[in-house]
Amino acid sequence: MKCILGAVLSVAAMTATADTREVFLQDGQGARIQIATLTIAADGSYETEMLGAPFSDHFLSMRPFKCLEGPEKHWCHVPYPYEIARNIHADLTDLEYDLLFVWKGANEYGINMWNGVYYQLEQVGGVIVGTLHEMDMDVLSAPPPAGELRPLQDKDLHASDPESHWLPRVIIE
């Protein structure tokens, strides 16, 4: 009972001093789709809650995915499967790992993990803005070495032409 009460008090303390923001993906014309809410505690720890409404369920390559259905491409969320600190006090990398996607053609049956989407985030005033980079998600197919919480390196990310993708930006405000 003490453990449950402690967890409830911890969540209550976090929300009492927390900053809650909305997470959007934005297309090239500026239209936005809200995909999540982000709750940031004073110490930089955070929780991301993906919304259900804009996503549809897909079973692709023998795995379930939550996807946004676009006219030409589907954007499928890829929950990061390994441990991360979920703290943005020092930088935004943990949050970048929580916003991984893979795209597929709207008429394609399966999914190709080399079509990975990684949004590099930066703080611009009071808004967090992410720019799309391409990556091969196969880099994440095996767990990172023990104690290594951030296995992606700069060489794994490739700048992308924003006009070649449906949702080239993430906006958190």
Side-chain angles (χ1 to χ4, degrees):
M1 185 65 159
K2 285 182 183 178
C3 183
I4 293 172
L5 180 59
V8 169
L9 291 174
S10 175
V11 169
M14 182 175 173
T15 56
T17 60
D19 176 18
T20 301
R21 300 180 182 201
E22 296 175 333
V23 181
F24 300 91
L25 291 180
Q26 181 175 295
D27 71 15
Q29 289 71 47
R32 294 179 177 184
I33 302 169
Q34 185 180 359
I35 61 162
T37 58
L38 174 67
T39 305
I40 307 169
D43 67 355
S45 62
Y46 72 87
E47 292 180 13
T48 305
E49 182 178 345
M50 299 302 284
L51 302 178
F55 293 95
S56 58
D57 293 323
H58 289 258
F59 194 73
L60 305 166
S61 302
M62 304 302 290
R63 291 181 35 197
F65 284 91
K66 300 281 188 185
C67 300
L68 300 168
E69 296 179 346
E72 296 177 23
K73 292 182 180 179
H74 291 178
W75 231 244
C76 302
H77 182 243
V78 180
Y80 184 68
Y82 311 114
E83 178 185 350
I84 54 176
R86 291 204 165 73
N87 191 297
I88 60 173
H89 192 275
D91 62 35
L92 299 170
T93 306
D94 291 341
L95 185 55
E96 291 172 348
Y97 280 45
D98 278 331
L99 297 174
L100 295 173
F101 287 82
V102 64
W103 67 266
K104 71 175 220 66
N107 296 322
E108 293 176 2
Y109 174 72
I111 204 159
N112 295 318
M113 295 308 283
W114 60 78
N115 291 332
V117 174
Y118 184 99
Y119 292 100
Q120 282 193 324
L121 302 175
E122 65 178 330
Q123 186 83 28
V124 180
V127 178
I128 298 172
V129 178
T131 305
L132 185 145
H133 284 67
E134 297 175 11
M135 67 172 288
D136 181 350
M137 289 277 183
D138 284 332
V139 172
L140 301 176
S141 63
E148 186 176 322
L149 298 181
R150 297 175 172 179
L152 296 175
Q153 300 175 14
D154 287 339
K155 68 179 178 134
D156 299 319
L157 307 176
H158 309 282
S160 175
D161 173 13
E163 295 190 24
S164 70
H165 288 288
W166 174 39
L167 300 166
R169 293 223 180 291
V170 64
I171 310 290
I172 303 172
E173 54 186 10

